[in-house]
Structures are given as C-alpha cells and as structure tokens.
Amino acid sequence: MDRVKDGAHLAALDARLPMPENVSYVDALAALIASEDLIRKTCQEHMSPKAITSACLFGFGVGNRALAVSSGFRTMVEQQNSLCALPLVRMHLDTLLRLYAGFWAANHQSFCHEVLMGAQINRMKDADGHKMTDRFLVDKLTTRNPWVADVYKQTSGYIHFSGRHIRSVMRMEDLGSGDILHGQLVIGPKDYNRQQEDFCESIRCVHHLNLILDFALKDWFIRMCRPDGHIPDATEIWGDYEQQPES
C-alpha cells in the first residue's frame, strides 16, 4: 500500500477523467486519492469568502462529508470489508443527490438554512413543487448520468439488513454439475473469497462520484454562494461545457 500512499502512481491516471474498466487496483486507488485532493482543494479555495452564507456552509458540509466517506471507503477496501465498504458508496451517492437538491430548490439560501436547522430534504420541494425524495432526485440526476439509478438500486441493498448480509456468511463449493460439494459458515469482517482487485468496480464508482462532486461544488461556490443572492447562468461561467451541473 505504500506505493499508493506515496503518490508513485498518481501520474498513471488522470484523476479528472473516469477510470477505464481495466484499471489495476493500485492505479484505481491512487486515482481515488487524487480525486479526493480535488475536492479538498476546491473547498479550501473558497474558505475565505467576503461573507459566509448558509449556502457556503452547505457546500463545505457537502465537501467535508464527501472526503470523510471516500476516505472511509478506501480504508474498508484495504481491509477487504465489502459489507462496510459498499454501504459507503450509497452514502456517497446520497451526498451528491442532496447537493443537487440545493441547485433545484426554489430558494437555495432558504433551503440551506432550513437544512442547517434540521429540516429533512426529502420533505422539501424543488422550484416546480415536487417533493425531493430520493426517488425524485435519483430520477432527475439519471437523465444526465444513467448509471446512477443502478448504483442506487444495488447499494441500497447494503444499507438495511437483507439477504445479502445473510448470504455473506455462507460459502458453498459445488462440482461442475452444480451438485453441492460442501459448505462453510464464515463469521468475520474480512471477505472470505474476495481479492483487492474485486473492488476495482466500486472504486471506479466512488472516483466518478468524486469527480461529479468536485465539479458541482466548484459551480456551487461560484454561482450559489453570492451574498447578493444573484445566481449567474451556468453558461456565463462554464460556457457550453457538457459536464456542467444541471440547475
């Protein structure tokens, strides 16, 4: 793991681009670390605003949670603990969904203040009067990132106790014919038959979420945190850049 942490592989992948499917475990983890640095730098660049607004605090909260969850995910991957790592993917997606809820709210400053005071986002409404439930947020984000719906569905099964957790203790071996040879019950946090390379797909997912979070946070701090409340059109800041957050 020292090879990853000392940055020796950071040049192998551009952290600003999604990873290829055939990425190695070492390079994937290095790119994930680099993507966390992008979020950290974006937040730090905006930590001395002329005035602290509720929207500023909301953005910093999003960035801080994103860094904490991504870091925790890496730790669980290193320990080969998928039952803890995969729920964190769902939590990471939750952070992104709620950041976009801020873009879609009728009054984002009031929205941020209410969230700061304890309001539940899934009971709040967007500018068109739609209640911003998880399903609404997922469906809206999926129009731009179709893979989000599948990630939400697959990782939600790890949040609440389910058959996935029961099956995790059973290790069955069978013959080529499908007849059961023998079975074992395995108790412990470390995956019995999963290698580090088996985590590459979930690492790619968290990395991609980090990239979207970083860009969305840049847009949030530049356009949504102005003390005068004015929100410039996204094209004024980003032109026609196809990855700009939808607002």
Side-chain angles (χ1 to χ4, degrees), residues 22-39:
N22 62 347
V23 64
S24 71
Y25 171 78
V26 170
D27 286 345
L29 212 57
L32 180 59
I33 293 171
S35 69
E36 292 170 9
D37 287 338
L38 294 177
I39 295 174

Side-chain angles (χ1 to χ4, degrees), residues 104 106 124-132 136:
W104 297 326
M124 303 169 77
K125 295 181 179 181
D126 75 346
D128 296 320
H130 300 110
K131 190 174 290 186
M132 293 191 284
F136 173 81

Side-chain angles (χ1 to χ4, degrees), residues 200-241:
C200 283
E201 182 177 3
S202 56
I203 295 174
R204 289 175 59 234
C205 178
V206 173
H207 173 264
H208 200 160
L209 289 172
N210 279 349
L211 299 186
I212 300 174
L213 278 161
D214 176 58
F215 193 95
L217 280 170
K218 283 183 170 68
D219 190 55
W220 181 264
F221 287 127
I222 292 173
R223 294 198 302 123
M224 312 297 281
C225 294
R226 296 166 58 109
D228 61 8
H230 173 64
I231 305 176
D233 187 87
T235 56
E236 294 180 31
I237 308 298
W238 308 107
D240 294 324
Y241 183 51

Side-chain angles (χ1 to χ4, degrees), residues 53-128:
T53 65
S54 294
C56 292
L57 295 175
F58 181 84
F60 295 140
V62 166
N64 198 51
R65 189 196 194 201
L67 290 174
V69 171
S70 187
S71 173
F73 168 79
R74 283 192 290 106
T75 299
M76 291 300 98
V77 167
E78 291 169 3
Q79 295 181 9
Q80 294 176 256
N81 184 343
S82 65
L83 289 183
C84 191
L86 295 177
L88 291 177
V89 178
R90 172 64 181 82
M91 288 177 60
H92 212 37
L93 177 56
D94 176 84
T95 304
L96 179 63
L97 293 175
R98 276 144 181 73
L99 173 56
Y100 272 90
F103 282 106
W104 297 326
N107 184 315
H108 70 286
Q109 289 287 3
S110 295
F111 167 88
C112 294
H113 178 73
E114 290 178 30
V115 174
L116 182 61
M117 293 296 103
Q120 292 182 229
I121 293 176
N122 63 356
R123 296 182 179 179
M124 303 169 77
K125 295 181 179 181
D126 75 346
D128 296 320

